[in-house]
Amino acid sequence: MEISGLNLEKLMRAAAQDGLVLRDVRRDGDRAVRVRVSLRQRKALDGLCRRYGWELRELRAGPLLRAGRFLARRRMLAAAALLCPMLVYASSQMLLRVCVEGAGENAAAIREELRGAGAVPFRLKRRLSTDALRARLEYALPGLVFAGVRFEGSTLLIDCRHAREGESLEVPGEGLDLIASEPGIVTRLWVQSGTPLVEEGQAVCAGQVLVRGEERTRAGGVYAVRAQGQVVARVWARGDARVRLWEERTVETGQTRSRVTLCTPWQTRVVREAEPFASQDASVRMEPLVGLYLPVYRKIETYAETVVFRSPRDREEAISRAQGAAEEIAKNRCPAGAETLDKWAKYSMIDNEFVYATVVIEYERDIASRMP
């Protein structure tokens, strides 16, 4: 703000007596001063200037005042800015759309049940229970074996799965049963369709039928369905490894022989022959003879005689190595992400030459598979 007039010192004293806070006070010539005042005290400063005859002129309004003036000129924009968050919040709390997937011929019946339960657009989501809706659908439609009911934003999604009947009633058909892919002990099972033939804690063998592909009707009849579900069991992965009770170490004796061969792009010629040792280490070195641009080389093969020493290995070290190797093999036979429930190891000696280790890892997995 710019205040102009005479006796500006009187302005400062009067403003202090009236409780006005003037900030950033700067002289702008002999008869003008620039100050910064809050929006709440601007009206009081204007009245003080009118009372004593000073001229008050606004130079630059603050951000709040500019925003208020902008919204005052565009009242519809201000109303929309206030109304939009309210509408967004209200829409996020309401059901706006119902989507039914995988229902097939049951779609109309499902929508009728949803309307009866009050799951209609523009209903508050907190007044609807997805668990209650799922239970109602499964009770009203016996052919429905799975109904996933969940909210995705403002949409109520109904994901349906129903049992598929076989070619003829009372005939299980082929490929409708779930069988055990490997032996194990059942820990839990979850059957979507079909009749379970095993229970928790039961030991099963590979190929045993876990869920029969048939169900009973209310009248007591039997009809074929495609068995669906999971049967989780404790299964085992085994690893075997062996380690020698002695180790070999190679030592050079210091005796060396060199075989030199002259190599050109057209032919090779042995310049100096050398007989290899019975046990040796060999190294090869190529040396250019003429120059960088003419491909004539001398190939030098150096044979160093070696002697193999055999020394006994500590038995505890051999057992540790065999166990580590067997455990690594067993882990590689477990599926990715499997959690180890138990582990045990067994050792044996063969002819005082090898240590054999067997490691068994127990873990859980779904063993239900389709009958071929």
Side-chain angles (χ1 to χ4, degrees), residues 171-352:
V171 178
E174 296 181 358
L176 300 182
D177 298 336
L178 290 179
I179 64 173
S181 59
E182 58 184 301
I185 299 176
V186 178
T187 57
R188 58 186 181 275
L189 65 159
W190 176 49
V191 179
Q192 295 174 301
S193 62
T195 303
L197 302 182
V198 296
E199 58 184 12
E200 295 182 5
Q202 180 178 343
V204 297
C205 58
Q208 181 177 341
V209 178
L210 304 175
V211 182
R212 180 72 68 188
E214 61 183 25
E215 291 184 356
R216 291 191 175 275
T217 63
R218 295 182 179 179
V222 178
Y223 64 96
V225 298
R226 188 174 179 84
Q228 299 283 352
Q230 291 182 349
V231 180
V232 180
R234 299 169 73 98
V235 296
W236 307 274
R238 173 174 171 170
D240 298 284
R242 72 174 187 176
V243 174
R244 291 184 181 272
L245 288 174
W246 46 268
E247 58 182 348
E248 293 182 347
R249 184 165 51 93
T250 302
V251 178
E252 294 185 359
T253 63
Q255 297 290 331
T256 60
R257 296 172 184 171
S258 298
R259 184 173 185 265
V260 182
T261 306
L262 185 64
C263 302
T264 67
W266 307 278
Q267 63 179 355
T268 60
R269 180 183 177 184
V270 178
V271 178
R272 185 172 63 193
E273 188 62 73
E275 189 72 20
F277 295 103
S279 177
Q280 64 182 14
D281 289 336
S283 61
V284 179
R285 186 174 74 254
M286 304 294 289
E287 294 181 353
L289 287 181
V290 178
L292 181 62
Y293 301 100
L294 188 60
V296 179
Y297 297 91
R298 185 172 63 174
K299 179 181 178 182
I300 304 175
E301 300 174 77
T302 304
Y303 305 139
E305 184 183 22
T306 60
V307 177
V308 178
F309 290 96
R310 177 179 295 185
S311 59
R313 178 180 283 142
D314 183 68
R315 178 168 295 190
E316 295 299 327
E317 179 189 356
I319 291 176
S320 177
R321 289 191 178 186
Q323 179 185 353
E327 184 174 349
E328 187 67 24
I329 294 173
K331 286 183 178 179
N332 291 336
R333 292 175 178 175
C334 297
E339 180 181 358
T340 301
L341 302 179
D342 199 358
K343 178 180 64 176
W344 57 89
K346 179 182 178 182
Y347 312 100
S348 61
M349 301 288 178
I350 303 296
D351 299 332
N352 288 327

Side-chain angles (χ1 to χ4, degrees), residues 61-74:
L64 293 179
L65 182 58
R66 293 200 304 272
R69 290 173 177 174
F70 177 79
L71 294 177
R73 292 194 302 268
R74 295 168 175 82

